[in-house]
Amino acid sequence: MHSVADLRARARQRLPRVVFDFIDGGAGDEATLRRNEAAFQELRLVPRVFVPCRSRDLSTALLGQTYGMPFGVTPMGLCNLAWPGTDLGIARAAAQAGIPYALSTMASTSIEDIARAAPEHTWFQLYVGGDAAIADSLLDRALAAGIRTLVLTVDANFTARRLRDRRNHFALPLRPTPRLLADLASHPHWSLATLAAGAPTFENFKPTAKNPRSIDIKDMLVALAQAHIDWSLLEHARARWPHRLIVKGVLHPEDARRIAALGADGVVVSNHGGRQLAMVPSSIEALPAIRAAVGPDFAVLIDSGVRSGDDIARALASGADFVLLGRTFLYGTAALGAEQGPRATIEILRGELDTAMAQLGCSTIADLRRADRFTPSIPTAPTSRGSA
Ligand SMILES: Cc1cc2nc3c(=O)[nH]c(=O)nc-3n(C[C@H](O)[C@H](O)[C@H](O)COP(=O)(O)O)c2cc1C
């Protein structure tokens, strides 16, 4: 396994189709999903020569904390569908590598278990549904577990039209149709492992669920769609959360400016990995205008479509402070299991980023972030960043 593409190909073989499509798919005709990856590939960095950089330091600081590398794991619900133990495996590998793991509200492992496994590196991602008291109790649990970085997701307040899931009749708990049974029977390794571990569920909702043993994904999505999302939500979160607060799912520069003005500490430029709407810009396209809107000192993170260390280098050179990856980590665990998969994924990304930095003439992440050293450009919309 030498690249994320290798991991994805193996994951596709090992996972039942209904599961692979849930992870891999996007909204509508999946144009955003494709655009996310294509826009990264089209972005070119021009190397500088005669720059000695025999050794590279990949560590970087974000909002007062130093991380071993400039990337981390973005929040994802139901990770344990990829393989039993995925959340814990990723959290442990992330802590070992000194990078953050953002645990989702919809995670298949509890806040407390993940915070215990990665005490310094767990972030918590909050979705606010129809019942604000549930959101507040999740915040209290995250605080009590020692978590100090909150990611408030604001781009998923309505159920997306994910056609692969509709065609596969994806539901949780899984409904045993003849097609699903054939799908599971042709992937016995996953099916037996998942049967032995117990089907994943929404662990963080067990204390408030009517039927904690069998929480329906449809109910969760309906609850999200009832969320009352306006600027008062951010004000409430800011007043209630005393530590680092990052708002995820921002594409418009004016929104980013207002989020900064309301006292958040950062934004994640994200289109939810193309899972919400098929007509929106790729996150790497949206990044430069957001950086320009919030200025050089506000923390700007990015996710959606990052599939390599080269993409991480592209994002940093285009103005991001930090990069998050989603599906990449689930391909890794589905391909290689919950223990080896996350570690191998991190190692592939680290090796690619290190090679890119050496070739580009960068010894540090700060070098890479000095965009005036390169000329990042998407050929269809060239932008001149000046020259060193
Ligand atoms: C299976 C899956 C589940 C996700 N669940 C959540 C979630 O619970 N909360 C959230 O903020 N984003 C969620 N996302 C979106 C990711 O946080 C992120 O924005 C996206 O995956 C980034 O794109 P990438 O997968 O191309 O890296 C999910 C994405 C995937 C693939």
Side-chain angles (χ1 to χ4, degrees), residues 49 52 55 67 85 102 109 115 147 153 157 163-164 179 195 207 224-225 227 251 266 279 361 366 372 380:
V49 295
S55 63
Y67 295 101
T109 308
I147 293 172
T153 299
N157 62 326
L163 302 188
R164 292 199 221 178
R179 198 172 133 194
L195 197 66
L224 275 187
L251 292 171
M279 66 172 82
D372 59 345
T380 47

Side-chain angles (χ1 to χ4, degrees), residues 315-332:
L316 296 171
S318 301
D321 293 299
F322 208 82
V323 180
L324 300 174
L325 301 94
R327 294 179 181 85
T328 291
F329 278 90
L330 298 188
Y331 298 146

Side-chain angles (χ1 to χ4, degrees), residues 75 77 104 125 127 153 248 272-273 275 303-305 307 326-327:
S104 162
Q125 175 264 325
Y127 274 136
T153 299
K248 172 173 177 280
H272 217 93
R275 292 168 79 80
D303 79 12
S304 299
R307 298 287 180 269
R327 294 179 181 85

Side-chain angles (χ1 to χ4, degrees), residues 154-168:
V154 292
D155 66 353
N157 62 326
F158 202 80
T159 313
R161 296 178 64 83
R162 296 191 193 136
L163 302 188
R164 292 199 221 178
D165 289 349
R166 288 180 181 214
R167 290 182 183 124
N168 293 334

Side-chain angles (χ1 to χ4, degrees), residues 38-103:
F40 270 109
Q41 281 166 4
E42 284 303 310
L43 184 63
R44 288 151 204 185
L45 301 185
V46 183
R48 305 303 301 266
V49 295
F50 293 116
V51 186
C53 58
R54 279 224 184 95
S55 63
R56 273 82 46 206
D57 176 2
L58 271 57
S59 68
T60 193
L62 177 73
L63 296 174
Q65 187 167 351
T66 299
Y67 295 101
M69 287 174 271
F71 63 89
V73 188
T74 204
M76 288 176 290
L78 293 172
C79 287
N80 288 3
L81 266 182
W83 210 262
T86 292
D87 283 316
L88 271 175
I90 296 180
R92 288 187 184 125
Q96 209 171 27
I99 64 172
Y101 176 37
L103 185 78

Side-chain angles (χ1 to χ4, degrees), residues 260-321:
L262 285 174
D265 300 297
V267 289
V268 185
V269 181
S270 170
N271 56 35
H272 217 93
R275 292 168 79 80
Q276 290 302 112
L277 201 55
M279 66 172 82
V280 303
S282 69
S283 53
I284 190 73
E285 283 174 291
L287 173 66
I290 289 183
R291 170 53 79 202
V294 297
D297 299 327
F298 190 70
V300 177
L301 296 78
I302 185 170
D303 79 12
S304 299
V306 181
R307 298 287 180 269
S308 64
D310 292 18
D311 290 347
I312 294 168
R314 288 164 161 135
L316 296 171
S318 301
D321 293 299

